mmCIF file of all heavy atoms in Angstrom:
data_model
loop_
_atom_site.group_PDB
_atom_site.id
_atom_site.type_symbol
_atom_site.label_atom_id
_atom_site.label_comp_id
_atom_site.label_asym_id
_atom_site.label_seq_id
_atom_site.Cartn_x
_atom_site.Cartn_y
_atom_site.Cartn_z
ATOM 1 N N VAL A 278 -17.102 72.247 -2.108
ATOM 2 C CA VAL A 278 -17.029 73.073 -3.321
ATOM 3 C C VAL A 278 -17.542 74.475 -3.030
ATOM 4 O O VAL A 278 -16.980 75.479 -3.475
ATOM 5 C CB VAL A 278 -17.827 72.408 -4.467
ATOM 6 C CG1 VAL A 278 -17.906 73.347 -5.653
ATOM 7 C CG2 VAL A 278 -17.174 71.095 -4.861
ATOM 8 N N GLY A 279 -18.608 74.550 -2.254
ATOM 9 C CA GLY A 279 -19.157 75.863 -1.907
ATOM 10 C C GLY A 279 -18.171 76.688 -1.122
ATOM 11 O O GLY A 279 -18.035 77.888 -1.337
ATOM 12 N N GLY A 280 -17.462 76.038 -0.206
ATOM 13 C CA GLY A 280 -16.458 76.757 0.566
ATOM 14 C C GLY A 280 -15.327 77.240 -0.311
ATOM 15 O O GLY A 280 -14.840 78.354 -0.154
ATOM 16 N N GLU A 281 -14.904 76.419 -1.299
ATOM 17 C CA GLU A 281 -13.845 76.845 -2.214
ATOM 18 C C GLU A 281 -14.309 78.017 -3.063
ATOM 19 O O GLU A 281 -13.573 78.974 -3.306
ATOM 20 C CB GLU A 281 -13.441 75.671 -3.101
ATOM 21 C CG GLU A 281 -12.747 74.550 -2.332
ATOM 22 C CD GLU A 281 -12.515 73.345 -3.211
ATOM 23 O OE1 GLU A 281 -12.845 73.423 -4.406
ATOM 24 O OE2 GLU A 281 -12.004 72.336 -2.690
ATOM 25 N N ASP A 282 -15.558 77.939 -3.531
ATOM 26 C CA ASP A 282 -16.096 79.047 -4.329
ATOM 27 C C ASP A 282 -16.132 80.324 -3.521
ATOM 28 O O ASP A 282 -15.856 81.414 -4.026
ATOM 29 C CB ASP A 282 -17.502 78.704 -4.831
ATOM 30 C CG ASP A 282 -17.493 77.574 -5.843
ATOM 31 O OD1 ASP A 282 -16.396 77.313 -6.380
ATOM 32 O OD2 ASP A 282 -18.548 76.976 -6.088
ATOM 33 N N ALA A 283 -16.474 80.210 -2.233
ATOM 34 C CA ALA A 283 -16.524 81.396 -1.391
ATOM 35 C C ALA A 283 -15.145 82.019 -1.253
ATOM 36 O O ALA A 283 -15.000 83.244 -1.297
ATOM 37 C CB ALA A 283 -17.094 81.042 -0.015
ATOM 38 N N ASP A 284 -14.141 81.196 -1.095
ATOM 39 C CA ASP A 284 -12.781 81.719 -0.990
ATOM 40 C C ASP A 284 -12.358 82.416 -2.275
ATOM 41 O O ASP A 284 -11.739 83.470 -2.251
ATOM 42 C CB ASP A 284 -11.798 80.589 -0.661
ATOM 43 C CG ASP A 284 -12.023 80.070 0.752
ATOM 44 O OD1 ASP A 284 -12.632 80.799 1.549
ATOM 45 O OD2 ASP A 284 -11.598 78.935 1.030
ATOM 46 N N GLU A 285 -12.710 81.797 -3.405
ATOM 47 C CA GLU A 285 -12.335 82.384 -4.684
ATOM 48 C C GLU A 285 -13.049 83.716 -4.902
ATOM 49 O O GLU A 285 -12.534 84.618 -5.552
ATOM 50 C CB GLU A 285 -12.664 81.417 -5.811
ATOM 51 C CG GLU A 285 -11.793 80.166 -5.808
ATOM 52 C CD GLU A 285 -12.233 79.179 -6.861
ATOM 53 O OE1 GLU A 285 -13.185 79.498 -7.589
ATOM 54 O OE2 GLU A 285 -11.620 78.100 -6.956
ATOM 55 N N ALA A 286 -14.265 83.841 -4.358
ATOM 56 C CA ALA A 286 -15.025 85.082 -4.531
ATOM 57 C C ALA A 286 -14.635 86.136 -3.515
ATOM 58 O O ALA A 286 -15.231 87.199 -3.466
ATOM 59 C CB ALA A 286 -16.525 84.772 -4.408
ATOM 60 N N GLY A 287 -13.646 85.825 -2.697
ATOM 61 C CA GLY A 287 -13.212 86.800 -1.699
ATOM 62 C C GLY A 287 -13.983 86.712 -0.405
ATOM 63 O O GLY A 287 -13.794 87.538 0.483
ATOM 64 N N GLN A 288 -14.855 85.720 -0.271
ATOM 65 C CA GLN A 288 -15.639 85.590 0.944
ATOM 66 C C GLN A 288 -14.859 84.758 1.954
ATOM 67 O O GLN A 288 -15.268 83.683 2.354
ATOM 68 C CB GLN A 288 -16.994 84.946 0.637
ATOM 69 C CG GLN A 288 -17.834 85.745 -0.332
ATOM 70 C CD GLN A 288 -19.167 85.067 -0.599
ATOM 71 O OE1 GLN A 288 -19.631 84.276 0.192
ATOM 72 N NE2 GLN A 288 -19.776 85.395 -1.718
ATOM 73 N N THR A 289 -13.724 85.250 2.337
ATOM 74 C CA THR A 289 -12.928 84.549 3.339
ATOM 75 C C THR A 289 -13.340 85.019 4.720
ATOM 76 O O THR A 289 -14.026 86.015 4.886
ATOM 77 C CB THR A 289 -11.429 84.828 3.115
ATOM 78 O OG1 THR A 289 -11.219 86.251 3.124
ATOM 79 C CG2 THR A 289 -10.982 84.287 1.773
ATOM 80 N N PHE A 290 -12.900 84.266 5.705
ATOM 81 C CA PHE A 290 -13.321 84.554 7.067
ATOM 82 C C PHE A 290 -12.118 84.872 7.925
ATOM 83 O O PHE A 290 -10.997 84.488 7.621
ATOM 84 C CB PHE A 290 -14.086 83.345 7.634
ATOM 85 C CG PHE A 290 -15.169 82.877 6.707
ATOM 86 C CD1 PHE A 290 -14.986 81.755 5.924
ATOM 87 C CD2 PHE A 290 -16.366 83.580 6.615
ATOM 88 C CE1 PHE A 290 -15.979 81.312 5.077
ATOM 89 C CE2 PHE A 290 -17.354 83.148 5.768
ATOM 90 C CZ PHE A 290 -17.168 82.016 4.995
ATOM 91 N N GLU A 291 -12.375 85.586 8.999
ATOM 92 C CA GLU A 291 -11.281 85.998 9.862
ATOM 93 C C GLU A 291 -10.611 84.803 10.531
ATOM 94 O O GLU A 291 -9.423 84.795 10.763
ATOM 95 C CB GLU A 291 -11.806 86.969 10.928
ATOM 96 C CG GLU A 291 -12.319 88.289 10.338
ATOM 97 C CD GLU A 291 -12.815 89.221 11.427
ATOM 98 O OE1 GLU A 291 -12.768 88.815 12.614
ATOM 99 O OE2 GLU A 291 -13.234 90.337 11.088
ATOM 100 N N THR A 292 -11.373 83.797 10.846
ATOM 101 C CA THR A 292 -10.809 82.618 11.479
ATOM 102 C C THR A 292 -10.354 81.629 10.421
ATOM 103 O O THR A 292 -10.579 81.831 9.218
ATOM 104 C CB THR A 292 -11.862 81.961 12.384
ATOM 105 O OG1 THR A 292 -12.936 81.494 11.567
ATOM 106 C CG2 THR A 292 -12.381 82.951 13.415
ATOM 107 N N GLU A 293 -9.752 80.549 10.860
ATOM 108 C CA GLU A 293 -9.275 79.533 9.941
ATOM 109 C C GLU A 293 -10.295 78.418 9.757
ATOM 110 O O GLU A 293 -9.954 77.307 9.382
ATOM 111 C CB GLU A 293 -7.955 78.956 10.448
ATOM 112 C CG GLU A 293 -6.823 79.964 10.455
ATOM 113 C CD GLU A 293 -5.512 79.351 10.889
ATOM 114 O OE1 GLU A 293 -5.518 78.146 11.223
ATOM 115 O OE2 GLU A 293 -4.491 80.042 10.888
ATOM 116 N N THR A 294 -11.539 78.694 10.072
ATOM 117 C CA THR A 294 -12.582 77.700 9.897
ATOM 118 C C THR A 294 -13.243 77.870 8.534
ATOM 119 O O THR A 294 -13.100 78.909 7.886
ATOM 120 C CB THR A 294 -13.659 77.819 10.991
ATOM 121 O OG1 THR A 294 -14.228 79.154 10.933
ATOM 122 C CG2 THR A 294 -13.038 77.617 12.358
ATOM 123 N N HIS A 295 -13.969 76.845 8.124
ATOM 124 C CA HIS A 295 -14.620 76.848 6.826
ATOM 125 C C HIS A 295 -16.028 76.293 6.970
ATOM 126 O O HIS A 295 -16.423 75.807 8.031
ATOM 127 C CB HIS A 295 -13.806 76.007 5.827
ATOM 128 C CG HIS A 295 -12.379 76.434 5.708
ATOM 129 N ND1 HIS A 295 -11.988 77.510 4.946
ATOM 130 C CD2 HIS A 295 -11.252 75.930 6.283
ATOM 131 C CE1 HIS A 295 -10.679 77.664 5.044
ATOM 132 N NE2 HIS A 295 -10.211 76.713 5.852
ATOM 133 N N LEU A 296 -16.745 76.353 5.883
ATOM 134 C CA LEU A 296 -18.115 75.855 5.883
ATOM 135 C C LEU A 296 -18.136 74.361 6.216
ATOM 136 O O LEU A 296 -19.056 73.885 6.887
ATOM 137 C CB LEU A 296 -18.766 76.116 4.525
ATOM 138 C CG LEU A 296 -20.207 75.638 4.365
ATOM 139 C CD1 LEU A 296 -21.096 76.276 5.402
ATOM 140 C CD2 LEU A 296 -20.714 75.940 2.952
ATOM 141 N N ALA A 297 -17.119 73.641 5.770
ATOM 142 C CA ALA A 297 -17.075 72.210 6.068
ATOM 143 C C ALA A 297 -16.984 71.952 7.561
ATOM 144 O O ALA A 297 -17.484 70.943 8.066
ATOM 145 C CB ALA A 297 -15.872 71.573 5.361
ATOM 146 N N ASP A 298 -16.360 72.874 8.323
ATOM 147 C CA ASP A 298 -16.297 72.714 9.774
ATOM 148 C C ASP A 298 -17.685 72.838 10.395
ATOM 149 O O ASP A 298 -18.022 72.085 11.312
ATOM 150 C CB ASP A 298 -15.370 73.763 10.383
ATOM 151 C CG ASP A 298 -13.938 73.604 9.915
ATOM 152 O OD1 ASP A 298 -13.456 72.454 9.891
ATOM 153 O OD2 ASP A 298 -13.308 74.607 9.566
ATOM 154 N N LEU A 299 -18.468 73.782 9.880
ATOM 155 C CA LEU A 299 -19.845 73.898 10.372
ATOM 156 C C LEU A 299 -20.621 72.634 10.064
ATOM 157 O O LEU A 299 -21.372 72.123 10.926
ATOM 158 C CB LEU A 299 -20.521 75.112 9.691
ATOM 159 C CG LEU A 299 -22.022 75.272 9.931
ATOM 160 C CD1 LEU A 299 -22.342 75.398 11.425
ATOM 161 C CD2 LEU A 299 -22.560 76.490 9.172
#
Side-chain angles (χ1 to χ4, degrees):
V278 173
E281 293 173 2
D282 292 343
D284 291 341
E285 292 175 1
Q288 299 180 22
T289 55
F290 309 102
E291 295 181 359
T292 64
E293 294 183 357
T294 59
H295 305 281
L296 180 58
D298 296 316
L299 171 59

